[in-house]
């Protein structure tokens, strides 16, 4: 991980999602908070929404999930139009590394921030504010928050842009401290541009708990089925060779932090 400062670029649009494809709303668009409510939701509801909406199609390990509901009118039922997942960082050392040595148990990560394309611009700042307020009640032990912005776009094998790069504009607008860039790495991408989880591959190779679920995930990304009696290590090697996966060199995500 690096804390070297660098220039970040601001954009005039707010990113939204629908069916795992990105879309945009004007940043100056008025947002009426009276039409929306933020409140905790169950893991299953958050997972169903996030996997259907976000480009990754995946849900991180979560501690709490906050939903954004639209109250369109007294005559219409409310609708879930956004979710923030307060998650456990994949790497335990991420919290102390980015938050000045803070105990990992006292930190949390914004693992997903997803809004429907019907939510007006600037809705994410209001939603983040409500989420932080709820977090202080639901997780009073938390003293620091970490989130990453991924600056690298994702394309499908046919060249379609699935996800543009992010510069953390929303986090900067919400007074997030830009802490630097995470370590560079190589991503493994499926044909549709989604990233293969290295943790999932490790579970399969080592035949750890959760390996069966990880195999199903890999198959959903285009990998062949595992052969009877095939070792986890052999299967991962063959799956990556036969599944038409691609490799992409990534310079590292941009890290933002808050003290609570």
């Amino acid at each position: 991980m690096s804390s070297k400062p660098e220039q970040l670029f601001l954009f005039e649009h707010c990113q939204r999602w629908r069916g795992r494809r990105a879309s945009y709303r004007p940043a100056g668009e008025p947002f009426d908070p009276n039409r929306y409510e933020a409140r905790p939701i169950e893991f299953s509801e958050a997972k169903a929404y996030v996997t259907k909406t976000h480009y990754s199609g995946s849900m991180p390990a979560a501690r709490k999930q906050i939903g954004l509901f639209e109250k369109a009118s007294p005559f219409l039922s409310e609708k879930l139009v956004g979710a923030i997942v307060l998650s456990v960082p994949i790497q335990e050392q991420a919290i102390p590394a980015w938050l000045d040595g803070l105990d990992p148990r006292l930190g949390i990560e914004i693992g997903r921030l997803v809004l429907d394309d019907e939510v007006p611009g600037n809705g994410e700042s209001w939603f983040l504010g409500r989420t932080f307020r709820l977090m202080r009640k639901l997780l009073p032990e938390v003293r620091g928050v970490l989130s990453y912005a991924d600056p690298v776009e994702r394309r499908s094998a046919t060249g379609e842009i699935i996800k543009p790069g992010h510069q953390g504009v929303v986090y900067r607008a919400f007074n997030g401290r830009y802490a630097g860039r995470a370590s560079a790495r190589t991503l493994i991408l499926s044909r549709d541009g989604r990233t293969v989880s290295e943790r999932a591959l490790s579970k399969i190779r080592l035949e750890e708990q959760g390996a069966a679920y990880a195999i199903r995930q890999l198959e959903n990304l285009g990998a062949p089925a595992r052969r009877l009696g095939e070792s986890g290590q052999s299967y991962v090697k063959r799956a990556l060779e036969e599944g038409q996966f691609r490799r992409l060199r990534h310079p590292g995500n941009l890290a933002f932090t808050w003290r609570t």
Side-chain angles (χ1 to χ4, degrees), residues 86-117:
L86 300 173
S87 63
V88 180
I90 295 176
Q91 297 179 330
E92 185 176 290
Q93 67 269 28
I95 293 298
W98 292 117
L99 285 154
D100 303 319
L102 184 69
D103 189 306
R105 295 170 296 180
L106 304 181
I108 206 165
E109 181 180 334
I110 300 175
R112 292 286 185 273
L113 168 54
V114 189
L115 294 178
D116 274 11
D117 57 7

Side-chain angles (χ1 to χ4, degrees), residues 214-243:
I215 289 173
R216 290 196 297 272
Q217 286 185 310
L218 196 57
E219 289 175 348
N220 289 336
L221 293 175
R226 185 177 182 179
R227 292 170 179 163
L228 185 64
E230 188 174 25
S231 72
Q233 188 166 347
S234 296
Y235 171 66
V236 168
K237 184 176 184 298
R238 182 173 65 85
L240 296 181
E241 290 174 350
E242 297 180 6

Side-chain angles (χ1 to χ4, degrees), residues 40 64 66 88 92 105 111-112 137 139 147 175 179 181 183 197 203 247 250:
K64 293 293 179 182
I66 309 299
V88 180
E92 185 176 290
R105 295 170 296 180
R112 292 286 185 273
K137 296 179 180 179
L139 299 168
S147 192
N175 297 319
R181 188 185 285 268
S183 300
S197 167
K203 285 185 177 182
R247 284 176 167 77
H250 193 294

Side-chain angles (χ1 to χ4, degrees), residues 8-232:
L8 298 181
F9 300 93
L10 301 180
F11 294 91
E12 297 179 351
H13 297 86
C14 302
Q15 181 165 327
R16 298 290 182 265
W17 295 96
R18 181 173 292 276
R20 298 181 184 173
R21 293 294 187 272
S23 60
Y24 293 88
R25 303 291 299 227
E29 198 173 30
F31 176 82
D32 181 4
N34 295 318
R35 292 184 58 185
Y36 296 90
E37 179 185 2
R39 65 173 184 262
I41 57 176
E42 295 295 326
F43 179 86
S44 58
E45 186 176 11
K47 181 179 180 181
Y49 174 78
V50 169
T51 55
K52 178 185 71 174
T53 309
H54 193 257
Y55 91 97
S56 67
S58 65
M59 177 75 171
R63 290 180 63 184
K64 293 293 179 182
Q65 310 80 224
I66 309 299
L68 178 67
F69 292 87
E70 181 181 16
K71 304 172 290 184
S73 78
F75 309 103
L76 296 176
S77 300
E78 65 177 13
K79 178 184 177 183
L80 180 64
V81 294
I84 289 178
V85 180
L86 300 173
S87 63
V88 180
I90 295 176
Q91 297 179 330
E92 185 176 290
Q93 67 269 28
I95 293 298
W98 292 117
L99 285 154
D100 303 319
L102 184 69
D103 189 306
R105 295 170 296 180
L106 304 181
I108 206 165
E109 181 180 334
I110 300 175
R112 292 286 185 273
L113 168 54
V114 189
L115 294 178
D116 274 11
D117 57 7
E118 63 194 64
V119 179
N122 300 321
E124 47 272 275
S125 293
W126 184 88
F127 190 21
L128 279 167
R130 290 301 186 275
T131 296
F132 270 56
R133 185 182 301 177
L134 287 166
M135 180 185 66
R136 293 184 183 102
K137 296 179 180 179
L138 299 169
L139 299 168
E141 73 278 10
V142 168
R143 293 292 178 266
V145 179
L146 166 68
S147 192
Y148 296 103
D150 186 345
V152 178
E153 70 177 19
R154 302 287 192 279
R155 290 179 179 264
S156 69
T158 59
E160 177 189 5
I161 296 179
I162 305 302
K163 180 197 80 67
H166 302 299
Q167 299 293 332
V169 175
V170 171
Y171 298 143
R172 286 169 59 87
F174 192 65
N175 297 319
R177 181 182 72 89
Y178 174 61
R181 188 185 285 268
S183 300
R185 64 198 191 281
T186 298
L187 304 180
I188 301 174
L189 303 182
S190 64
R191 282 190 56 81
D192 63 3
R194 285 184 284 168
T195 304
V196 178
S197 167
E198 286 289 350
R199 179 69 184 116
L201 294 181
S202 177
K203 285 185 177 182
I204 299 171
R205 289 189 184 102
L206 300 175
E207 314 224 13
E208 296 177 341
Q209 183 177 359
Y213 177 69
I215 289 173
R216 290 196 297 272
Q217 286 185 310
L218 196 57
E219 289 175 348
N220 289 336
L221 293 175
R226 185 177 182 179
R227 292 170 179 163
L228 185 64
E230 188 174 25
S231 72

